[in-house]
Amino acid sequence: SDLAILISTLSNTKCREFQQFGVEILDSSDIKSDIEILELIITLLRAVGVEEDSIKIRINDVALFNKLVEYCHISANDIISLKKNLDYLAECYAGKHPEDYLRTQDSIRGIITKYSISEEYQKVWDVIINHSYNSISEVISLYPNTFKQEFLFLQRILSHFKGTNSKIELDLSVIR
Protein backbone atom coordinates (compact mmCIF):
# COMPACT_ATOMS: atom_id res chain seq x y z
CA SER A 1 0.00 0.00 0.00
CA ASP A 2 1.03 3.61 -0.50
CA LEU A 3 -0.31 4.81 2.84
CA ALA A 4 1.99 7.39 4.37
CA ILE A 5 1.83 7.79 8.13
CA LEU A 6 3.44 10.33 10.41
CA ILE A 7 3.28 10.02 14.15
CA SER A 8 3.62 13.51 15.60
CA THR A 9 5.95 12.55 18.43
CA LEU A 10 9.17 13.93 16.98
CA SER A 11 12.55 14.33 18.61
CA ASN A 12 14.81 17.36 18.48
CA THR A 13 17.86 15.12 18.07
CA LYS A 14 16.83 13.03 15.08
CA CYS A 15 15.67 14.10 11.65
CA ARG A 16 12.31 12.35 11.49
CA GLU A 17 11.69 9.86 14.22
CA PHE A 18 11.33 9.73 17.96
CA GLN A 19 11.70 5.99 18.23
CA GLN A 20 11.52 3.69 15.28
CA PHE A 21 10.03 0.30 14.66
CA GLY A 22 8.78 -1.33 11.51
CA VAL A 23 5.79 -3.42 10.62
CA GLU A 24 4.90 -4.68 7.19
CA ILE A 25 2.13 -6.81 5.84
CA LEU A 26 3.47 -8.34 2.67
CA ASP A 27 1.48 -8.96 -0.49
CA SER A 28 -1.72 -7.27 0.62
CA SER A 29 -3.48 -4.38 -1.02
CA ASP A 30 -6.51 -4.75 1.24
CA ILE A 31 -7.40 -1.64 3.23
CA LYS A 32 -7.89 -3.88 6.26
CA SER A 33 -4.11 -4.34 6.34
CA ASP A 34 -3.54 -0.58 6.62
CA ILE A 35 -6.20 -0.29 9.32
CA GLU A 36 -4.59 -3.20 11.19
CA ILE A 37 -1.19 -1.46 11.06
CA LEU A 38 -2.69 1.77 12.44
CA GLU A 39 -4.48 -0.12 15.21
CA LEU A 40 -1.22 -1.91 16.05
CA ILE A 41 0.66 1.41 16.23
CA ILE A 42 -1.93 2.86 18.59
CA THR A 43 -1.96 -0.29 20.75
CA LEU A 44 1.85 -0.38 20.97
CA LEU A 45 2.11 3.30 21.88
CA ARG A 46 -0.48 2.85 24.63
CA ALA A 47 1.30 -0.31 25.86
CA VAL A 48 4.61 1.54 26.30
CA GLY A 49 2.90 4.27 28.30
CA VAL A 50 2.30 7.02 25.77
CA GLU A 51 -0.68 8.98 27.02
CA GLU A 52 -3.80 8.82 24.87
CA ASP A 53 -3.83 12.60 24.38
CA SER A 54 -0.26 12.50 23.03
CA ILE A 55 -1.03 10.07 20.22
CA LYS A 56 -1.81 11.81 16.95
CA ILE A 57 -1.37 10.06 13.62
CA ARG A 58 -1.44 11.97 10.35
CA ILE A 59 -1.98 10.02 7.15
CA ASN A 60 -1.88 10.55 3.40
CA ASP A 61 -1.60 8.44 0.27
CA VAL A 62 1.75 8.81 -1.51
CA ALA A 63 -0.04 8.19 -4.81
CA LEU A 64 -1.69 11.62 -4.47
CA PHE A 65 1.70 13.35 -4.51
CA ASN A 66 3.02 11.14 -7.30
CA LYS A 67 -0.01 11.86 -9.51
CA LEU A 68 0.13 15.57 -8.76
CA VAL A 69 3.77 16.01 -9.74
CA GLU A 70 3.21 13.88 -12.83
CA TYR A 71 0.21 15.95 -13.97
CA CYS A 72 2.14 19.17 -13.29
CA HIS A 73 5.19 17.88 -15.24
CA ILE A 74 7.58 18.60 -12.39
CA SER A 75 11.20 17.54 -12.96
CA ALA A 76 12.87 14.75 -10.99
CA ASN A 77 15.18 17.22 -9.20
CA ASP A 78 12.27 19.42 -8.17
CA ILE A 79 10.30 16.37 -7.02
CA ILE A 80 13.15 15.60 -4.62
CA SER A 81 13.15 19.21 -3.38
CA LEU A 82 9.38 19.16 -2.98
CA LYS A 83 9.54 15.93 -0.96
CA LYS A 84 12.17 17.40 1.37
CA ASN A 85 10.25 20.63 1.80
CA LEU A 86 6.90 18.90 2.32
CA ASP A 87 8.49 16.58 4.86
CA TYR A 88 9.84 19.59 6.73
CA LEU A 89 6.49 21.38 6.39
CA ALA A 90 4.82 18.34 8.00
CA GLU A 91 7.26 18.68 10.92
CA CYS A 92 6.52 22.41 11.18
CA TYR A 93 2.80 21.70 11.14
CA ALA A 94 3.32 19.15 13.93
CA GLY A 95 4.99 21.89 16.00
CA LYS A 96 8.64 20.91 15.65
CA HIS A 97 9.91 24.02 13.80
CA PRO A 98 7.09 26.58 13.94
CA GLU A 99 9.50 29.41 13.19
CA ASP A 100 10.26 27.83 9.78
CA TYR A 101 6.67 27.26 8.71
CA LEU A 102 6.30 30.36 6.50
CA ARG A 103 9.79 30.01 5.00
CA THR A 104 9.10 26.38 4.10
CA GLN A 105 5.78 27.31 2.50
CA ASP A 106 7.62 29.95 0.44
CA SER A 107 10.25 27.39 -0.63
CA ILE A 108 7.55 25.07 -1.93
CA ARG A 109 5.81 27.94 -3.73
CA GLY A 110 9.16 28.89 -5.29
CA ILE A 111 9.48 25.43 -6.81
CA ILE A 112 5.88 25.33 -8.02
CA THR A 113 6.00 28.75 -9.69
CA LYS A 114 8.73 27.51 -12.05
CA TYR A 115 6.05 25.51 -13.87
CA SER A 116 3.03 26.47 -15.96
CA ILE A 117 0.45 24.88 -13.73
CA SER A 118 -3.25 25.16 -14.47
CA GLU A 119 -5.45 27.08 -12.07
CA GLU A 120 -7.10 23.81 -11.02
CA TYR A 121 -3.78 22.26 -9.96
CA GLN A 122 -2.54 25.52 -8.44
CA LYS A 123 -5.52 25.35 -6.06
CA VAL A 124 -4.47 21.83 -5.11
CA TRP A 125 -0.92 22.96 -4.31
CA ASP A 126 -2.31 25.88 -2.28
CA VAL A 127 -4.42 23.48 -0.20
CA ILE A 128 -1.36 21.30 0.49
CA ILE A 129 0.97 24.20 1.30
CA ASN A 130 -1.50 26.08 3.52
CA HIS A 131 -3.10 23.10 5.29
CA SER A 132 -6.31 24.91 4.42
CA TYR A 133 -8.89 22.17 4.87
CA ASN A 134 -11.11 20.97 7.66
CA SER A 135 -12.28 17.64 6.33
CA ILE A 136 -11.45 15.06 3.71
CA SER A 137 -14.78 15.81 1.99
CA GLU A 138 -13.65 19.40 1.55
CA VAL A 139 -10.35 18.25 0.05
CA ILE A 140 -12.03 15.78 -2.31
CA SER A 141 -14.14 18.61 -3.74
CA LEU A 142 -11.00 20.66 -4.50
CA TYR A 143 -9.03 17.93 -6.27
CA PRO A 144 -9.75 16.84 -9.86
CA ASN A 145 -11.78 13.63 -10.26
CA THR A 146 -8.65 11.67 -11.24
CA PHE A 147 -7.66 11.67 -7.54
CA LYS A 148 -10.96 10.29 -6.21
CA GLN A 149 -9.78 6.68 -5.81
CA GLU A 150 -6.91 7.62 -3.48
CA PHE A 151 -9.19 9.86 -1.44
CA LEU A 152 -11.82 7.15 -1.12
CA PHE A 153 -9.12 4.88 0.31
CA LEU A 154 -8.13 7.53 2.88
CA GLN A 155 -11.75 8.33 3.64
CA ARG A 156 -12.44 4.68 4.45
CA ILE A 157 -9.50 4.61 6.87
CA LEU A 158 -10.57 7.84 8.58
CA SER A 159 -14.18 6.58 8.79
CA HIS A 160 -13.00 3.40 10.49
CA PHE A 161 -11.47 5.43 13.34
CA LYS A 162 -14.26 8.03 13.58
CA GLY A 163 -15.98 7.83 16.94
CA THR A 164 -12.95 6.28 18.63
CA ASN A 165 -10.44 7.99 20.92
CA SER A 166 -7.75 7.66 18.24
CA LYS A 167 -6.61 10.94 16.70
CA ILE A 168 -6.03 10.11 13.05
CA GLU A 169 -6.25 12.93 10.54
CA LEU A 170 -5.47 13.74 6.95
CA ASP A 171 -2.25 15.69 6.33
CA LEU A 172 -1.48 16.25 2.65
CA SER A 173 2.11 17.24 3.43
CA VAL A 174 2.89 13.74 4.76
CA ILE A 175 4.34 11.92 1.75
CA ARG A 176 6.94 9.53 3.20
Side-chain angles (χ1 to χ4, degrees):
S1 154
D2 290 329
L3 182 68
I5 302 170
L6 178 67
I7 300 173
S8 293
T9 308
L10 299 170
S11 166
N12 289 328
T13 59
K14 294 186 179 182
C15 292
R16 282 198 292 256
E17 73 276 351
F18 174 68
Q19 293 182 10
Q20 187 173 355
F21 63 92
V23 177
E24 294 183 44
I25 297 176
L26 302 175
D27 200 29
S28 175
S29 59
D30 190 343
I31 192 169
K32 291 176 187 173
S33 298
D34 293 305
I35 289 171
E36 186 177 359
I37 295 280
L38 290 167
E39 288 175 343
L40 178 63
I41 290 168
I42 293 165
T43 300
L44 289 172
L45 289 171
R46 288 178 185 150
V48 297
V50 176
E51 292 183 29
E52 187 80 26
D53 292 346
S54 299
I55 301 172
K56 182 177 182 182
I57 299 174
R58 300 184 348 256
I59 64 170
N60 191 11
D61 188 332
V62 175
L64 290 168
F65 174 80
N66 292 338
K67 267 188 181 180
L68 184 58
V69 295
E70 179 184 339
Y71 290 160
C72 294
H73 306 289
I74 296 178
S75 73
N77 285 340
D78 283 338
I79 289 171
I80 292 168
S81 294
L82 282 170
K83 283 182 177 181
K84 287 179 182 177
N85 278 285
L86 285 168
D87 186 44
Y88 196 74
L89 185 66
E91 289 183 2
C92 292
Y93 183 64
K96 187 169 181 188
H97 310 283
E99 69 280 1
D100 293 336
Y101 189 75
L102 295 175
R103 181 193 56 76
T104 306
Q105 287 178 313
D106 289 342
S107 293
I108 296 168
R109 283 188 194 96
I111 295 167
I112 300 304
T113 57
K114 294 174 14 181
Y115 296 88
S116 297
I117 296 174
S118 71
E119 186 176 326
E120 180 180 37
Y121 285 110
Q122 186 58 53
K123 287 179 184 176
V124 170
W125 281 110
D126 289 343
V127 165
I128 295 169
I129 294 167
N130 297 321
H131 282 90
S132 56
Y133 46 89
N134 295 315
S135 70
I136 191 164
S137 300
E138 181 183 345
V139 173
I140 291 171
S141 70
L142 297 171
Y143 271 72
N145 284 335
T146 54
F147 293 83
K148 283 242 192 279
Q149 191 64 35
E150 291 80 11
F151 279 116
L152 290 174
F153 170 77
L154 290 168
Q155 194 169 36
R156 286 180 60 201
I157 291 173
L158 293 169
S159 293
H160 176 82
F161 289 97
K162 190 174 185 173
T164 69
N165 290 335
S166 302
K167 294 180 202 159
I168 299 179
E169 66 182 39
L170 177 69
D171 184 341
L172 297 171
S173 63
V174 173
I175 57 168
R176 295 178 190 257

